[in-house]
């Protein structure tokens, strides 16, 4: 039952009273309307724009979001309205659908945005009214083609190291741009196709005169040379065909494809000729076979996209072409018959039979007008002129259709190519923007770890930290951190080619906490160098193995505030280390530590892609990543060792 | 086809004439004003013509053919016989059916059965009505509809209603017989709360 009719249900029920007197048996009881609500206005607030409608209007379509109880999820108790955080423009169309029962598709709307909105409100796009359905379908088709294009090019550009040899070969054949070898092969085959075609042409040119005999075509004069050329070309083509056959993912499908048929037709005449050379009877047929060699020119369609488009267009306009052919045939037969009978009377007429008149009709309709057959009688001339006039019309009609099809497909291809070219630049720009935001994670990670360290130390420094990141960010970062903890891995910057050294880092992190706590317990009795060296020695692996690549950029900060390391960009590694004027030894030792670390690592490291945060506790040296300066915490005592240890320990690699 | 818009009488007037409240009239008018979603043709606003009427009614009875019955209904609603049911006609009819006394309802039913409005229900008229009602059921019924079922039903009806056995049923006979039948009385009250 159509929903709009629900409004007339009361009438239909009332009209049923007309049956009552006629009925012989009692009627069933009417269903009670339990919650008989008075029809009320409900307010739908869509991104600030308020729409109001009757509740019953929405209930006409109970299987959509607005018509069912699903909308209660969006009910705002405070304002007593339903709030949807969606596009108000599209909502207009959606609401009109409830009101009128017809869903319209506005032309200015993007197709995927519209589809998303419809999916959200639980409305099937199929019920778009006839007035807008064509447009919708067209746009949808275009969009699907674009997506397919993008997917294809994506697939082409993915590097899939796990392809088998056969698959790589196939890819090389299909997309010559994937590797240099493929490109070379592509151009070589193209060259040989051209050579072969030119050879075929030149073979027939009369080449100089051998004195004493008639002019020979070049093919016979230099027959050996031409034969060698031909053989070479055929060799290349055969090898290419066999390679393609080997590499094809589905051999059966490959054999049936058009291009492979062309390939076969191109090389078969040669082999057949080899076999049949000495048989006189069939040499005539053999000569005919040589005609097929011209099909080699079609092999160029692999090299030219325009040719492929032309072929595709012709295929897609098959119906128009068929119509053209059919109407032409009809017209030819009609006019040929008429001309034949008109010219029958005239003497020495060339129009000897109707089939003979076909030639005249075709030549006239296509406005060629060779003039080898002309009508002589007046009636013939009249009909002849009608014939040529109508010929122009019949041919002119389907041609624009074919042309527009070709133009549409061609431009689509151009657009696809342009999109592919622009895509790289676009993606690069997007990547740059994204790394900016991923920096935020690492910064706050350092912040977070620092906070943890501080908390462990019991220093109430947190309030200065972390407020710089929003709640969502901090929750997201916490999540990432949890994942790191779960897997024992850590995030690396610019990581695609870095392999995470899980074991070392696992130990590393584990050791972090352990050492950290240990050192927390350890008293301040230990002094710097001693603690440092054992830490150094006890974790020889730390500095050397924790990061495969490491470059350091250390800055010394004024000791008044916490020495903070500056985190430049992701590309730079910052080593946070302690700095304090009160402990010059510290600095020296630290620098020596750094030096040592550097030395140890230098052989290993390449470019600095890792940011290492070495967090240490602020006593005179306090660390903050990235320019946050905090007042140095109170007690230097217990904290003295920590920095060094901590700096060793809490090496957040991966950063 | 008249594209003249027809404005109904004022709300207060209608409220006085019918037994509906203002709110009920508002709800009814909203539905009445927009029967167009069903049909693909342009419908003159403000009135419902027979085509639309039939279409609407057939939406409720998809299996059978309700056009004949809808035709009779249309004639019953279209009291001034101008080919279109205006909102006033609609309200008048509904007011009787939903809020009227039993007497009024029976009167209305008699008017429906009396196709030529001459005050008598003949067997032929009743047969037409009966056939129309059975048509609404459609072909796929259980038990299968027999050819003469409508005729038999008419016979039963006339036996009950036609007191003086003169082959026609007058309004008084009709009302009298119906008032005696408990089933009919009860079923008349069935649709009190439709709005």
């Amino acid at each position: 039952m159509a929903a709009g009719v629900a409004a007339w249900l009361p009438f239909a029920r009332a009209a049923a009273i007309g049956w009552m007197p006629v009925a012989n048996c009692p009627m069933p009881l009417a269903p009670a309307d339990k919650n008989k609500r008075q029809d009320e206005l409900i307010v739908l607030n869509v991104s600030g724009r308020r729409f109001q409608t009757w509740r019953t209007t929405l209930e006409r379509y109970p299987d959509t979001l607005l018509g069912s109880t699903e909308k209660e999820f969006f009910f705002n108790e405070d304002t007593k309205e339903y709030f949807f955080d969606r596009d108000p423009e599209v909502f207009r169309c959606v609401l009109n659908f409830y009101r009128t029962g017809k869903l319209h598709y506005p032309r200015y709307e993007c197709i995927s945005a519209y589809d998303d909105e419809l999916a959200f409100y639980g409305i099937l796009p199929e019920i778009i009214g006839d007035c807008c359905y064509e447009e919708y379908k067209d746009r949808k088709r275009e969009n699907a083609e674009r997506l397919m294009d993008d997917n294809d090019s994506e697939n082409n550009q993915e590097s899939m190291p796990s392809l088998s040899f056969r698959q790589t070969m196939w890819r090389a054949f299909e997309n010559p741009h994937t590797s240099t070898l493929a490109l070379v092969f592509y151009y070589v085959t193209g060259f040989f196709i051209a050579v072969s075609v030119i050879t075929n042409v030149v073979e027939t040119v009369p080449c100089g005169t051998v004195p004493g005999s008639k002019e020979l075509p070049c093919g016979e004069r230099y027959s050996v040379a031409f034969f060698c050329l031909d053989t070479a070309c055929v060799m290349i083509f055969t090898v290419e065909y066999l390679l393609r056959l080997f590499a094809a993912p589905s051999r059966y499908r490959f054999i049936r494809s058009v291009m492979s048929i062309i390939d076969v037709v191109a090389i078969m005449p040669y082999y057949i000729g080899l076999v049949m050379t000495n048989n006189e009877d069939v040499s005539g047929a053999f000569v005919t076979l040589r005609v097929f060699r011209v099909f080699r020119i079609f092999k160029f369609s692999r090299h030219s996209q325009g040719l492929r488009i032309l072929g595709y267009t012709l295929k897609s306009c098959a119906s128009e072409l068929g119509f053209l052919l059919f109407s032409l045939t009809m017209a030819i037969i009609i006019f040929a018959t008429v001309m034949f009978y008109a010219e029958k009377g005239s003497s020495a007429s060339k129009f000897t039979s109707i089939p003979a008149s076909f030639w005249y009709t075709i030549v006239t309709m296509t406005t060629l007008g060779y003039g080898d057959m002309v009508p002589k009688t007046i009636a013939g001339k009249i009909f002849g002129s009608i014939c040529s006039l109508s010929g122009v019309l019949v041919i002119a009609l389907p041609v624009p259709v074919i042309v527009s099809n070709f133009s549409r497909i061609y431009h689509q291809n151009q657009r696809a190519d342009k999109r592919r070219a622009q895509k790289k630049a676009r993606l690069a720009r997007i990547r740059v923007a994204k790394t900016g935001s991923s920096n935020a994670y690492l910064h706050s990670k350092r912040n977070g770890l620092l906070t943890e360290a501080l908390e462990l130390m019991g220093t109430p420094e947190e309030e200065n930290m972390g407020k710089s990141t929003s709640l969502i960010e901090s929750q997201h970062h916490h999540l990432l951190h949890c994942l790191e903890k779960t897997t024992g891995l850590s995030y690396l910057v610019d990581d695609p080619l870095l392999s995470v050294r899980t074991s070392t880092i696992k130990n590393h992190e584990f050791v972090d906490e352990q050492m950290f706590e240990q050192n927390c317990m350890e008293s301040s009795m230990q002094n710097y160098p001693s603690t440092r060296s054992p830490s150094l020695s006890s974790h020889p692996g730390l500095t050397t193995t924790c990061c495969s690549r490491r470059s350091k950029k250390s800055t010394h900060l004024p000791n008044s505030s916490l020495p903070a390391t500056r985190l430049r960009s992701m590309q730079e590694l910052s080593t946070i280390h302690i700095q304090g004027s009160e402990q010059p030894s510290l600095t020296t030792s630290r620098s020596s530590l750094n030096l040592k670390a550097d030395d140890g690592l230098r052989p290993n490291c390449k470019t600095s892609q890792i940011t290492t945060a070495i967090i240490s506790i602020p006593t005179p040296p306090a660390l903050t990543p990235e320019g946050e300066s905090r007042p140095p915490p109170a007690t230097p005592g217990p904290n003295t060792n920590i920095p060094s240890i901590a700096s060793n320990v809490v090496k957040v690699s991966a950063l | 086809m008249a594209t003249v818009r027809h404005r109904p009488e004022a709300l207060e007037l209608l409220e006085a004439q019918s037994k509906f409240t203002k709110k009920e009239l508002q709800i009814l008018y909203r539905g009445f004003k927009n029967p167009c979603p069903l049909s693909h043709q342009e419908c003159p606003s403000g009135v419902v013509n027979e085509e639309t009427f039939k279409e609407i009614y057939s939406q409720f009875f998809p299996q059978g053919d309700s056009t004949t019955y809808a035709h009779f209904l249309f004639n019953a609603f279209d009291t001034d016989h101008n080919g279109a049911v205006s909102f006033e006609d609609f309200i008048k009819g509904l007011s009787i059916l939903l809020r009227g006394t039993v007497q009024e309802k029976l009167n209305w039913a008699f008017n429906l059965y009396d196709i030529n409005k001459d005050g008598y229900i003949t067997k032929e008229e009743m047969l037409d009505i009966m056939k129309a009602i059975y048509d609404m059921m459609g072909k796929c019924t259980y038990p299968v509809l027999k050819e003469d079922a409508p005729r038999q039903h008419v016979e039963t009806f006339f036996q009950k209603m036609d007191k003086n056995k003169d082959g026609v049923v007058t309004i008084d006979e009709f009302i009298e017989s119906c008032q005696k039948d408990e089933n009919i009385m009860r079923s008349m009250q069935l649709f009190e709360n439709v709005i």
Side-chain angles (χ1 to χ4, degrees):
Chain A
M1 197 177 77
V5 195
W8 285 76
L9 187 56
F11 152 73
R13 298 178 73 197
I17 288 190
W19 312 332
M20 301 305 157
V22 185
N24 293 332
C25 28
M27 291 290 138
L29 287 174
D33 195 355
K34 286 191 189 54
N35 38 346
K36 187 168 139 73
R37 285 183 301 206
Q38 281 291 2
D39 202 9
E40 44 170 345
L41 272 177
I42 58 177
V43 182
L44 302 160
N45 185 348
V46 182
S47 300
R49 222 202 280 185
R50 283 190 171 70
F51 297 86
Q52 291 179 325
T53 181
W54 297 108
R55 184 175 288 276
T56 45
T57 311
L58 292 183
E59 284 167 3
R60 287 188 192 155
Y61 298 99
D63 53 347
T64 59
L65 183 149
L66 291 173
S68 64
T69 52
E70 195 181 345
K71 63 177 183 282
E72 302 302 325
F73 285 102
F74 299 92
F75 188 66
N76 185 342
E77 289 293 341
D78 307 322
T79 53
K80 292 277 182 273
E81 59 188 19
Y82 294 88
F83 181 74
F84 296 95
D85 202 9
R86 318 268 322 177
D87 186 1
E89 295 295 332
V90 180
F91 189 78
R92 217 172 40 82
C93 300
V94 168
L95 198 53
N96 277 337
F97 165 62
Y98 285 91
R99 292 180 180 139
T100 62
K102 287 200 266 225
L103 181 61
H104 295 282
Y105 169 62
R107 270 154 218 254
Y108 57 82
E109 199 66 54
C110 166
I111 184 74
S112 41
Y114 190 73
D115 268 345
D116 285 343
E117 294 294 316
L118 283 190
F120 177 80
Y121 292 110
I123 296 176
L124 287 178
E126 272 65 35
I127 48 181
I128 291 182
D130 285 340
C131 42
C132 300
Y133 197 60
E134 275 303 315
E135 172 85 15
Y136 175 78
K137 269 292 174 224
D138 282 341
R139 297 276 285 269
K140 196 127 196 228
R141 193 171 35 88
E142 269 177 41
N143 201 37
E145 283 172 0
R146 180 186 61 81
L147 280 176
M148 244 175 32
D149 265 343
D150 286 348
N151 275 347
D152 282 344
S153 58
E154 251 181 51
N155 289 341
N156 291 343
Q157 280 151 22
E158 280 171 23
S159 55
M160 296 181 283
S162 58
L163 280 184
S164 74
F165 171 65
R166 186 172 152 187
Q167 282 171 323
T168 17
M169 241 170 69
W170 180 249
R171 270 188 75 219
F173 277 133
E174 292 297 299
N175 307 306
H177 303 282
T178 48
S179 72
T180 333
L181 188 61
L183 209 54
V184 163
F185 185 75
Y186 175 76
Y187 282 125
V188 162
T189 43
F191 173 71
F192 273 99
I193 295 174
V195 161
S196 163
V197 169
I198 292 174
T199 317
N200 284 344
V201 167
V202 169
E203 250 183 4
T204 59
V205 171
C207 229
T209 47
V210 171
S213 62
K214 58 181 170 65
E215 282 226 46
L216 280 180
C218 283
E220 286 179 28
R221 190 152 169 209
Y222 303 105
S223 57
V224 176
F226 279 108
F227 181 73
C228 291
L229 258 180
D230 202 23
T231 312
C233 293
V234 170
M235 283 293 114
I236 301 268
F237 296 152
T238 318
V239 164
E240 181 206 352
Y241 181 71
L242 290 174
L243 280 180
R244 274 184 205 263
L245 189 62
F246 166 69
S250 157
R251 301 223 168 98
Y252 178 63
R253 206 153 47 101
F254 172 73
I255 289 182
R256 282 188 339 176
S257 73
V258 176
M259 289 310 302
S260 93
I261 291 178
I262 292 178
D263 287 338
V264 168
V265 168
I267 60 182
M268 277 325 254
Y270 177 80
Y271 289 112
I272 296 180
L274 278 184
V275 166
M276 299 195 315
T277 328
N278 301 325
N279 197 338
E280 289 294 324
D281 292 337
V282 295
S283 66
F286 164 64
V287 167
T288 324
L289 263 182
R290 299 187 105 196
V291 168
F292 281 98
R293 290 190 305 173
V294 81
F295 276 93
R296 288 179 194 165
I297 204 171
F298 282 118
K299 286 164 70 74
F300 266 132
S301 59
R302 275 217 185 87
H303 298 252
S304 157
Q305 201 187 29
L307 263 186
R308 277 202 299 268
I309 294 178
L310 185 61
Y312 181 66
T313 311
L314 289 176
K315 201 160 55 131
S316 71
C317 301
S319 61
E320 277 82 24
L321 284 174
F323 163 69
L324 176 62
L325 216 55
F326 177 68
S327 56
L328 268 179
T329 314
M330 252 178 31
I332 288 171
I333 295 179
I334 291 175
F335 279 108
T337 314
V338 166
M339 289 307 295
F340 172 70
Y341 282 111
E343 286 288 304
K344 204 155 185 235
S346 105
S347 56
S349 150
K350 291 241 178 66
F351 295 78
T352 50
S353 66
I354 294 187
S357 314
F358 281 167
W359 174 244
Y360 168 75
T361 321
I362 291 175
V363 166
T364 313
M365 281 185 93
T366 54
T367 69
L368 273 178
Y370 287 135
D372 54 350
M373 287 165 82
V374 284
K376 295 208 171 54
T377 60
I378 297 185
K381 286 187 181 159
I382 292 176
F383 287 118
S385 37
I386 298 177
C387 174
S388 60
L389 286 176
S390 64
V392 169
L393 279 179
V394 167
I395 291 185
L397 282 177
V399 168
V401 177
I402 299 174
V403 164
S404 76
N405 252 352
F406 178 80
S407 158
R408 181 178 63 84
I409 297 174
Y410 186 72
H411 282 132
Q412 223 169 293
N413 253 297
Q414 298 287 73
R415 274 202 299 267
D417 287 340
K418 213 173 9 161
R419 255 208 310 271
R420 267 191 284 269
Q422 288 171 345
K423 198 169 181 154
K424 281 191 127 169
R426 269 176 67 208
L427 286 180
R429 281 201 295 272
I430 291 177
R431 213 194 323 266
V432 166
K434 276 211 176 132
T435 51
S437 61
S438 68
N439 284 353
Y441 169 56
L442 295 165
H443 289 182
S444 66
K445 188 170 159 177
R446 262 172 236 102
N447 291 350
L449 282 172
L450 192 42
T451 318
E452 278 178 31
L454 291 178
E455 281 176 22
L456 274 172
M457 289 316 297
T459 51
E461 295 290 333
E462 308 93 31
E463 61 264 28
N464 293 335
M465 293 288 278
K467 292 304 182 277
S468 54
T469 56
S470 71
L471 180 61
I472 287 188
E473 267 186 57
S474 51
Q475 286 173 347
H476 182 218
H477 298 168
H478 172 253
L479 183 67
L480 291 171
H481 197 195
C482 289
L483 181 62
E484 286 181 343
K485 281 288 187 286
T486 312
T487 55
L489 310 172
S490 276
Y491 281 107
L492 290 173
V493 182
D494 271 6
D495 88 56
L497 301 178
L498 282 181
S499 55
V500 177
R501 305 202 187 257
T502 54
S503 54
T504 51
I505 294 190
K506 213 179 203 138
N507 302 338
H508 173 206
E509 292 232 44
F510 180 64
V511 161
D512 277 354
E513 325 277 12
Q514 217 185 30
M515 277 310 301
F516 199 81
E517 277 158 4
Q518 205 176 343
N519 290 318
C520 291
M521 304 315 161
E522 260 166 303
S523 65
S524 46
M525 266 61 88
Q526 296 182 11
N527 59 5
Y528 259 115
S530 54
T531 50
R532 226 182 322 106
S533 36
S535 64
L536 253 187
S537 53
S538 56
H539 309 289
L542 268 184
T543 51
T544 50
T545 63
C546 66
C547 321
S548 57
R549 303 175 182 198
R550 201 183 121 146
S551 84
K552 298 211 307 222
K553 189 125 187 10
S554 37
T555 50
H556 295 284
L557 298 164
N559 55 2
S560 57
S561 61
L562 318 172
T565 43
R566 318 226 84 213
L567 243 55
R568 301 286 155 75
S569 60
M570 287 330 264
Q571 273 63 22
E572 293 179 289
L573 167 71
S574 31
T575 315
I576 309 175
H577 53 101
I578 308 166
Q579 166 83 324
S581 62
E582 320 59 318
Q583 289 107 359
S585 58
L586 174 60
T587 37
T588 51
S589 48
R590 285 222 69 65
S591 48
S592 67
L593 166 69
N594 289 339
L595 230 55
K596 190 146 183 167
D598 256 354
D599 288 338
L601 287 179
R602 213 147 266 154
N604 302 344
C605 64
K606 303 184 192 140
T607 54
S608 58
Q609 294 301 325
I610 312 180
T611 354
T612 325
I614 303 181
I615 304 181
S616 50
I617 308 311
T619 330
L623 304 177
T624 12
E626 198 58 351
E628 272 187 39
S629 49
R630 283 165 311 136
T635 55
N639 297 337
T640 39
N641 340 332
I642 311 305
S644 53
I645 317 281
S647 62
N648 276 348
V649 169
V650 185
K651 219 176 261 180
V652 182
S653 71
L655 341 273
Chain B
M1 158 169 21
T3 46
V4 179
R5 286 176 42 84
H6 177 95
R7 283 237 156 71
E9 306 197 17
L11 192 56
E12 287 86 6
L13 204 53
L14 277 178
E15 192 190 0
Q17 286 173 355
S18 71
K19 302 204 181 69
F20 292 116
T21 65
K22 267 212 183 105
K23 252 196 153 39
E24 290 168 341
L25 283 173
Q26 283 176 343
I27 296 175
L28 281 170
Y29 190 60
R30 258 189 286 137
F32 183 80
K33 184 108 166 126
N34 197 17
C36 287
L38 318 163
S39 57
H40 300 291
Q41 66 236 34
E42 297 298 313
C43 58
S45 51
V47 293
V48 177
N49 60 4
E50 191 167 338
E51 277 307 307
T52 324
F53 206 84
K54 285 182 175 164
E55 254 194 72
I56 293 169
Y57 212 72
S58 61
Q59 297 282 339
F60 294 107
F61 303 100
Q63 297 99 338
D65 175 26
S66 52
T67 42
T68 336
Y69 189 68
H71 167 74
F72 294 135
L73 258 188
F74 186 80
N75 286 337
F77 269 89
D78 184 17
T79 42
D80 46 3
H81 304 286
N82 59 353
V85 171
S86 66
F87 189 58
E88 289 90 347
D89 296 337
F90 186 65
I91 288 298
K92 228 181 294 185
L94 275 190
S95 176
I96 296 174
L97 287 172
L98 299 176
R99 300 273 194 266
T101 64
V102 177
Q103 184 90 357
E104 287 171 348
K105 289 184 194 174
L106 289 173
N107 234 324
W108 190 90
F110 184 85
N111 195 36
L112 173 70
Y113 300 147
D114 185 12
I115 297 176
N116 55 1
K117 315 286 179 236
D118 61 353
Y120 299 102
I121 305 180
T122 62
K123 278 207 178 141
E124 286 72 25
E125 289 173 340
M126 207 55 223
L127 192 56
D128 287 337
I129 300 271
M130 204 60 76
K131 279 216 198 101
I133 295 180
Y134 274 89
D135 277 342
M136 281 199 290
M137 284 298 297
K139 296 282 178 283
C140 318
T141 54
Y142 177 79
V144 181
L145 182 66
K146 290 201 285 277
E147 272 305 309
D148 57 346
R151 186 169 292 280
Q152 283 195 352
H153 206 140
V154 170
E155 292 301 325
T156 327
F157 179 79
F158 264 77
Q159 271 173 19
K160 203 165 38 167
M161 301 282 165
D162 192 6
K163 288 294 182 286
N164 57 359
K165 305 292 178 225
D166 57 353
V168 293
V169 177
T170 63
I171 179 76
D172 304 305
E173 288 176 338
F174 183 71
I175 293 181
E176 214 190 297
S177 328
C178 287
Q179 277 176 336
K180 286 217 200 76
D181 189 333
E182 262 193 37
N183 281 338
I184 298 180
M185 282 296 114
R186 199 174 21 238
S187 52
M188 280 297 173
Q189 319 289 345
L190 207 52
F191 294 113
E192 292 285 284
N193 307 326
V194 165
I195 296 288

